[in-house]
Amino acid sequence: MVIVPVSSVNNDVKALSANQKKATNPIVLENKQNFDNKVSSNALSAYFKGGMAVSFSGHDCSTGKFVTKQMDDVPCCCCGGKMVLNKKVGEKAREFSALRGQELADKIRGNQDYFRCTQRLIANLIADEAEQNPEHDMGQAIQSFTPETLKEKTIEYCVKNLRAIDTVAKQSTNDEKNPISALVASEIEKVQGGKTERVEFTEKLAMYEGLVKKEDYNKMLESAMNIPESYKDVKQIYGYAYGKALKVAKELIKPSMQTIEHIHPKSQGGPNNTENYIAECYNCNNPRGHMSYHEWLKVHPEYPINAQKHIEWFQQQIVDGKIDERYDTYPIEVKATLSKESDGRMELKVLNPEKIKELREARQAGQEVDVKAELAKEYGEENEQKEVA
């Protein structure tokens, strides 16, 4: 089932062939009856409020049968990190737990994408410790931290990321006294005093987004999202992970386990349908619960950036033949669902099914196809870049 904000997908619909338009027109009665058996009429009414058109070009399936649940290293649409399949968490953890010293440090630093924010902080502290003590595995490294050294090293790590933001801000604005640098200086003072409040900081940072280039703001946001939400989170995860090497590795890897998010929460009538699914790691999916995107984007302001990267990756897999043709319509469907659920704050750039089919045929004929480049052409970004240059 797709929830189509009429104003936001007119361009996508115009690009479809006549047959495809028939397939996506509201409402196919047979599919509607099937759906009505699954959710209450009250939930259906609430979900489709606001003059939304309804179509059923997606297909019903359980979250466990969604196509990405059989694929390795899928990028999380929320935090952007690589995800590990549930059945492979132990295998991935053993890759880290078997190593010591410099080998362990190199493994951690070369595989940052498998750790989520606070877990990544602790993993990097383990890497620093292992580098200094060649005999240490993950368990021995983490056991060398006292509560005092843990806090001290956490402060150093947070300040390092804040200074990275300051560097980009000064380069981008060509102004040593720009307001972003002033904000960073204030935040460093708070952190050094033992207070870490990432959400509050990123909300303030967003006020100055227009002062810098988009790519520079994204770099600053990436550094900001390395900072834990609070020091309490660091202590909690440190407590969970404390133990022998394999236990430490599992606790630090488990949050990257792949799950399938109901974009419109299942508890509020969201259907088990591909149009309502998107791949997220456990660390992003579980805390959100049924929180609205208005609130969730305060916690994860980088979500729109990573959702776009995720859908580009997904379309590339379709074109390359790694995801089957049943998902040709998925990009425009999930675009509409995310747009509606975020009140237009997330507007993905996607290719329509006709274009995807054309590119897949080109790929099968031996041509190289870059979905990101095709999207740049489709949305006129290529011409904009030439004009700027």
Side-chain angles (χ1 to χ4, degrees):
M1 179 207 60
V2 68
I3 316 308
V4 186
V6 177
S7 61
S8 71
V9 294
N10 281 343
N11 292 336
D12 294 323
V13 172
K14 286 177 184 176
L16 297 175
S17 66
N19 288 337
Q20 287 167 322
K21 286 182 180 178
K22 289 179 183 177
T24 55
N25 275 344
I27 294 174
V28 179
L29 181 59
E30 180 181 0
N31 285 341
K32 182 179 185 301
Q33 289 171 336
N34 290 338
F35 176 72
D36 284 346
N37 290 332
K38 296 181 181 179
V39 296
S40 69
S41 59
N42 287 340
L44 187 64
S45 175
Y47 191 60
F48 295 127
K49 67 183 180 181
M52 312 307 292
V54 184
S55 72
F56 293 87
S57 50
H59 58 277
D60 292 344
C61 73
S62 67
T63 54
K65 296 294 183 182
F66 189 69
V67 65
T68 60
K69 289 305 291 286
Q70 287 76 49
M71 303 178 74
D72 289 315
D73 295 344
V74 176
C76 174
C77 74
C78 181
C79 70
K82 288 181 181 179
M83 294 187 285
V84 180
L85 294 175
N86 187 10
K87 63 184 178 181
K88 294 189 176 181
V89 168
E91 176 185 327
K92 181 62 67 177
R94 284 189 288 275
E95 291 179 13
F96 291 87
S97 65
L99 302 177
R100 296 173 183 270
Q102 190 63 54
E103 280 189 316
L104 173 58
D106 291 344
K107 178 73 172 177
I108 289 171
R109 289 177 181 143
N111 290 271
Q112 297 284 299
D113 282 350
Y114 288 112
F115 302 105
R116 298 313 179 247
C117 176
T118 310
Q119 288 80 6
R120 184 163 57 248
L121 183 159
I122 293 173
N124 277 288
L125 296 185
I126 288 172
D128 291 343
E129 186 66 25
E131 200 165 39
Q132 297 299 316
N133 296 278
E135 76 284 1
H136 279 186
D137 61 18
M138 293 189 88
Q140 292 164 321
I142 201 170
Q143 288 170 33
S144 68
F145 304 147
T146 65
E148 291 75 22
T149 58
L150 178 66
K151 187 164 189 176
E152 179 185 328
K153 290 177 180 296
T154 298
I155 290 171
E156 289 175 4
Y157 181 86
C158 293
V159 169
K160 179 182 176 181
N161 281 282
L162 287 165
R163 285 183 174 146
I165 296 171
D166 181 47
T167 299
V168 175
K170 287 174 178 174
Q171 291 173 345
S172 189
T173 61
N174 197 28
D175 181 2
E176 291 287 319
K177 297 181 179 180
N178 68 84
I180 297 174
S181 292
L183 172 64
V184 168
S186 175
E187 194 65 21
I188 287 175
E189 189 175 336
K190 287 182 185 177
V191 169
Q192 289 175 332
K195 191 176 183 181
T196 303
E197 293 182 343
R198 188 193 73 210
V199 174
E200 183 180 313
F201 172 71
T202 53
E203 284 189 285
K204 290 177 181 176
L205 182 63
M207 295 167 59
Y208 303 112
E209 181 177 357
L211 290 180
V212 296
K213 296 176 183 177
K214 181 179 178 181
E215 57 267 31
D216 288 337
Y217 179 74
N218 290 348
K219 286 179 186 176
M220 291 190 286
L221 193 56
E222 184 178 349
S223 292
M225 295 309 296
N226 282 328
I227 299 169
E229 283 189 55
S230 70
Y231 182 63
K232 181 180 177 181
D233 288 349
V234 178
K235 290 193 295 183
Q236 187 178 51
I237 292 169
Y238 168 77
Y240 287 156
Y242 194 92
K244 293 186 177 180
L246 185 57
K247 179 180 185 293
V248 174
K250 282 183 177 178
E251 291 297 332
L252 297 182
I253 290 291
K254 273 196 306 187
S256 68
M257 184 174 66
Q258 186 187 154
T259 69
I260 303 301
E261 165 85 315
H262 285 80
I263 299 172
H264 185 79
K266 188 175 181 181
S267 62
Q268 296 177 7
N272 288 326
N273 187 284
T274 56
E275 293 170 291
N276 195 43
Y277 289 161
I278 200 160
E280 281 186 3
C281 65
Y282 179 83
N283 200 58
C284 293
N285 191 346
N286 191 52
R288 183 197 164 207
H290 56 260
M291 192 186 299
S292 71
Y293 277 98
H294 176 74
E295 293 301 317
W296 188 237
L297 288 175
K298 294 178 182 178
V299 181
H300 279 281
E302 83 283 23
Y303 195 123
I305 299 167
N306 291 325
Q308 181 60 42
K309 290 178 181 178
H310 175 85
I311 204 65
E312 287 171 8
W313 171 89
F314 199 103
Q315 290 170 104
Q316 188 70 56
Q317 307 311 301
I318 300 173
V319 168
D320 290 346
K322 296 175 183 178
I323 292 179
D324 67 68
E325 296 179 15
R326 290 178 304 158
Y327 289 88
D328 283 6
T329 60
Y330 174 78
I332 61 168
E333 293 161 1
V334 81
K335 169 184 177 176
T337 312
L338 275 174
S339 176
K340 188 221 181 247
E341 290 300 311
S342 66
D343 294 325
R345 291 183 66 186
M346 283 193 279
E347 293 291 345
L348 301 180
K349 295 173 183 176
V350 301
L351 300 171
N352 65 58
E354 198 170 57
K355 185 65 175 179
I356 285 175
K357 181 180 178 183
E358 175 191 323
L359 295 176
R360 181 170 54 240
E361 289 172 352
R363 186 75 178 84
Q364 289 170 346
Q367 297 178 34
E368 290 296 321
V369 176
D370 183 348
V371 163
K372 185 168 183 163
E374 292 296 331
L375 284 167
K377 293 178 192 174
E378 195 83 10
Y379 285 84
E381 293 173 356
E382 191 176 54
N383 292 332
E384 287 177 14
Q385 290 170 2
K386 287 179 180 178
E387 287 174 12
V388 170

